[in-house]
Amino acid sequence: MKLKYINALMDMAERFAQTSEATRLKVGALIYRDGAILSLGINGAPSGWPSESCEGVDGQTLPHVRHAESAALEKLWLSTETSKGACLFVTHSPCFQCALKIKSAQISKVYFREHYKCSKGVDYLNSVGVECLQVIQQEVFK
């Protein structure tokens, strides 16, 4: 994929992240294949939950909050599209639990901007053949 498209898709993931109701960390993700965006997701409370319930009084993310990657994958459940062979663009590298879902969804490549607090998700994905690439200042790094 051309660098200009990687940058544009990463910019879109970042723009959608800004719509998250989370206060500590806003994360956006999109799933892309064959020239089309298949799904978008942001981190936040599930539908019907108060938006201010993303973080507890200690500032930590509450257990019911859905990660952006999961939200994007769940939207595909209701469509006729498949994530098999798709690329995931996400503002922060996936956590381990999201990495398990990404592998199960047969996503082939993950582009991310910032490292998450733990590298276990990226380490796992790389070990099972899902290439993870960091996009920094308009360049891509392994």
Side-chain angles (χ1 to χ4, degrees), residues 109-123:
K109 193 175 286 190
V110 175
Y111 294 94
F112 66 94
R113 179 80 74 204
E114 303 289 334
H115 279 283
Y116 186 61
K117 60 186 173 187
C118 170
S119 67
K120 192 173 179 182
V122 168
D123 294 343

Side-chain angles (χ1 to χ4, degrees), residues 91-108:
T91 58
H92 293 74
S93 61
C95 71
F96 183 69
Q97 292 301 316
C98 287
L100 293 172
K101 293 175 185 178
I102 290 164
K103 172 61 177 163
S104 294
Q106 298 181 8
I107 299 269
S108 63

Side-chain angles (χ1 to χ4, degrees), residues 2-36:
K2 291 183 179 181
L3 183 58
K4 67 180 180 179
Y5 297 118
I6 292 169
N7 288 322
L9 291 161
M10 185 58 68
D11 289 348
M12 290 177 71
E14 289 180 326
R15 183 68 174 164
F16 276 98
Q18 294 172 12
T19 68
S20 170
E21 297 292 336
T23 54
R24 185 178 60 82
L25 182 64
K26 296 176 182 294
V27 181
L30 62 88
I31 299 171
Y32 176 87
R33 190 189 70 241
D34 299 331

